[in-house]
Amino acid sequence: MPLCYYRQHLQKKRERQVFAAPPEEMGLSSSSITKDPPATPSWFTPERLLILFCVINMINYVDRGVIASNGVNGSIRTCDDKGICTSGSGIQGEFDLTNFQDGLLSSAFMVGLLVASPIFASLTKSHHPFRLIGVGLSVWTLAAAGCGGAFSFWFIAICRMLVGVGEASFISLAAPFIDDSAPVSQTAWLAMFYMCIPTGIAVGYVYGGFVGSQFNWRYAFWGEALLMLPFAVFGFAFEPLQLKVADSEASKLHDNILVGADSMSVDELKKTSKSVNIHNMLNQFSQFAEDMKALLVDKVYAVNIFAGYIAYNFVIGAYSYWGPKAGYNIYHMENADMMFGGITIVCGILGTLSGGFILDRLSASIYKAFILLSGATCLGAIFCFLAFCLRSLYGFIVFFALGEFFVFATQAPVNYVSLHCVKPSLRPLSMAISTVSIHIFGDVPSSPLIGVLQDNINNWRASALILTSILFLAAGIWFIGVSLHSDDASNDRSESQVCTVTVDNGTPLLYGNGDESSYEA
């Protein structure tokens, strides 16, 4: 009896040692499975998080305005009928680019964004999202600096692709973080975040126009790289904040490994632990395929993103890139960068915030968001179309400002639908696929296509009117969404809980003592 008892004691001790091993040995992230509920970082408050993400988002979109500004983008070398030629300026003049090549530069970031967005979204289930943002912003900073040191068209094109990689990490994760930490009136918080898109582009027009004309276009890129550098460091240096869903997914994985473990021998447990990494990789790929299928078959998500938002972004992307140049040629604006920048800043801020606050006052729902999307886009299309029909510069400014106000009022509602028509675990992927889709089918092809159109018809007013008419299509598509039935999937409590597994120092979980594991929401 004593010998038998001693052998059983050794066997149990060895089994405890297997489960006492660090999570990394079991193929799990030590950040995902914790002994205690995850503590909130000392620096964190919802307001600080919102301000942090707003500033990062603004710098990201300042870059879009910079490369589109006349001071940085410049103009090609031209000659008149008498043979008198004027030298080109900026990127287009220095590298002697056609309008099509120039348009490609505005779209090159999409290559990196397309590849990286789904990857970053999937990695949130096994890595700290905040660390992923730090990685992405570091790539963004180096790529922006590389744009300033470009020596050829292809080099700057590659750097623009890497800018897209950096943007991918941030743009797909920021909205879920804000959605987690925002108070009840979270649509207004989303509006504040997305307000930084038009504001950043507008500031980029002004900043790029000033730096390009007073110094050199290269300094504009180096300046924005310096601005982003502290935020890239922040992603690594400070205690990370975890998405709620990441803890939930990790805990589910932990539970699946422990279920039925009490019937395994020590050798079988060791063999199982060695195959966990391969099993996890296959599971991640399978889960990604299932998540993508869930998004593609969701009618509300498809109408909102794959139809309405793509058509909308096709117009906005071309506006942001060709707007200053079109205004300069149609109305002979000497300060087109300043004019378009000023209009976009004022109307972008007022329009985006108004859209969010109005949706909150209407008691935000997906149905009401679609009504606001359709109505605001239709009004914006009418005013912008009339603006380009007018011959008067002052009439154009008034009508175009009203049009931009209504057009930007859609930013909060469209992203509200993207976040609330899917379950919480799909939010990062939802935002990632949204970003990829509106760029690859929206503003990426629109800039070079409008460039080709202008090269052929050589009439900026006609090009602008053709482009603006697409906004009516976007309004009609979003109106279809009003008739679609959809519940708010973000209210699924089983998906939004944070589960953490706590193991007592005594008998491990494999012995089935349920009292020794705790789950906290």
Side-chain angles (χ1 to χ4, degrees):
M1 285 296 292
L3 180 61
C4 179
Y5 175 81
Y6 179 71
R7 288 175 177 174
Q8 290 177 354
H9 175 73
L10 287 179
Q11 177 74 2
K12 290 183 178 180
K13 183 176 181 180
R14 292 171 65 188
E15 290 175 353
R16 287 192 181 97
Q17 289 173 345
V18 171
F19 283 92
E24 291 84 353
E25 295 182 12
M26 297 293 291
L28 303 172
S29 170
S30 60
S31 62
S32 299
I33 301 176
T34 60
K35 293 184 178 180
D36 300 303
T40 301
S42 58
W43 63 266
F44 170 79
T45 66
E47 293 78 12
R48 287 177 184 172
L49 184 71
L50 179 63
I51 293 172
L52 175 71
F53 283 166
C54 282
V55 175
I56 295 174
N57 200 29
M58 183 172 293
I59 297 174
N60 178 53
Y61 279 91
V62 162
D63 175 74
R64 303 281 184 86
V66 163
I67 198 169
S69 67
N70 285 324
V72 172
N73 187 265
S75 59
I76 59 176
R77 180 175 180 268
T78 58
C79 297
D80 58 20
D81 297 335
K82 298 179 181 181
I84 300 175
C85 298
T86 58
S87 60
S89 62
I91 296 173
Q92 192 172 20
E94 183 164 335
F95 299 127
D96 194 23
L97 307 180
T98 64
N99 283 333
F100 176 72
Q101 290 176 311
D102 194 22
L104 285 178
L105 283 184
S106 73
S107 307
F109 78 97
M110 185 57 222
V111 176
L113 191 71
L114 174 64
V115 174
S117 287
I119 295 175
F120 279 116
S122 298
L123 288 176
T124 58
K125 297 183 178 181
S126 57
H127 295 76
H128 276 301
F130 233 69
R131 297 292 187 248
L132 295 176
I133 291 175
V135 171
L137 295 184
S138 299
V139 174
W140 193 101
T141 302
L142 292 174
C147 289
F151 52 84
S152 69
F153 166 73
W154 287 111
F155 185 86
I156 195 171
I158 292 173
C159 288
R160 299 308 299 171
M161 294 177 194
L162 292 176
V163 166
V165 173
E167 181 181 341
S169 69
F170 172 74
I171 211 68
S172 59
L173 300 174
F177 267 120
I178 294 174
D179 198 48
D180 279 347
S181 59
V184 177
S185 58
Q186 59 186 0
T187 312
W189 280 49
L190 288 174
M192 294 177 193
F193 176 73
Y194 287 105
M195 171 195 71
C196 298
I197 294 177
T199 306
I201 292 174
V203 171
Y205 289 156
V206 177
Y207 165 71
F210 175 77
V211 175
S213 61
Q214 298 297 319
F215 304 99
N216 186 286
W217 62 268
R218 298 178 184 274
Y219 289 100
F221 290 112
W222 290 333
E224 65 185 33
L226 286 175
L227 289 174
M228 187 66 84
L229 181 59
F231 299 100
V233 174
F234 182 91
F236 294 104
F238 285 77
E239 186 179 0
L241 183 67
Q242 187 68 282
L243 275 175
K244 292 178 181 177
V245 67
D247 291 324
S248 176
E249 294 292 338
S251 298
K252 289 177 184 176
L253 178 59
H254 182 269
D255 293 342
N256 289 337
I257 292 173
L258 296 180
V259 171
D262 55 346
S263 61
M264 294 182 180
S265 67
V266 174
D267 291 338
E268 289 173 332
L269 287 170
K270 290 181 178 179
K271 187 180 296 185
T272 300
S273 67
K274 292 179 181 179
S275 65
V276 165
N277 282 328
I278 298 175
H279 181 69
N280 286 349
M281 291 176 62
L282 294 175
N283 275 348
Q284 286 184 354
F285 180 80
S286 176
Q287 186 62 49
F288 176 76
E290 291 178 8
D291 291 346
M292 280 299 301
K293 180 181 178 181
L295 290 180
L296 293 174
V297 300
D298 190 316
K299 293 181 180 179
V300 173
Y301 187 83
V303 168
N304 185 48
I305 300 300
F306 299 136
Y309 205 17
I310 286 175
Y312 167 92
N313 225 60
F314 186 95
V315 179
I316 297 302
Y319 271 178
S320 65
Y321 193 74
W322 294 115
K325 191 166 290 187
Y328 176 81
N329 285 276
I330 297 173
Y331 297 101
H332 307 291
M333 298 180 187
E334 295 182 359
N335 55 347
D337 288 336
M338 299 292 183
M339 184 68 70
F340 269 83
I343 293 174
T344 306
I345 287 175
V346 175
C347 298
I349 292 175
L350 294 178
T352 307
L353 290 178
S354 297
F357 283 115
I358 290 173
L359 188 58
D360 279 338
R361 291 296 298 272
L362 294 174
S363 298
S365 68
I366 294 176
Y367 169 78
K368 293 173 182 176
F370 273 125
I371 293 177
L372 186 56
L373 284 170
S374 179
T377 306
C378 186
L379 289 172
I382 292 172
F383 281 111
C384 287
F385 193 90
L386 291 175
F388 284 109
C389 290
L390 297 175
R391 301 287 177 179
S392 168
L393 172 61
Y394 299 106
F396 167 80
I397 291 174
V398 172
F399 276 80
F400 191 72
L402 288 171
E404 281 210 327
F405 173 83
F406 286 109
V407 164
F408 284 119
T410 61
Q411 287 298 309
V414 71
N415 287 286
Y416 174 89
V417 174
S418 297
L419 286 169
H420 288 257
C421 71
V422 299
K423 59 185 181 180
S425 62
L426 289 180
R427 291 179 306 165
L429 185 63
S430 169
M431 299 308 296
I433 298 303
S434 170
T435 303
V436 169
S437 300
I438 64 176
H439 288 317
I440 195 171
F441 299 112
D443 57 7
V444 166
S446 69
S447 295
L449 286 176
I450 295 301
V452 171
L453 176 64
Q454 176 59 24
D455 284 340
N456 282 275
I457 67 176
N458 196 28
N459 187 324
W460 280 108
R461 189 185 301 274
S463 297
L465 290 172
I466 293 171
L467 175 66
T468 304
S469 62
I470 299 176
L471 283 176
F472 291 105
L473 174 63
I477 293 171
W478 273 325
F479 186 73
I480 295 174
V482 176
S483 62
L484 297 177
H485 173 74
S486 176
D487 295 324
D488 193 333
S490 67
N491 292 329
D492 186 353
R493 294 182 60 85
S494 64
E495 280 286 340
S496 61
Q497 291 177 338
V498 179
C499 300
T500 57
V501 180
T502 304
V503 181
D504 187 72
N505 291 329
T507 307
L509 285 176
L510 69 93
Y511 290 105
N513 293 337
D515 295 339
E516 293 171 358
S517 64
S518 63
Y519 300 84
E520 295 186 21

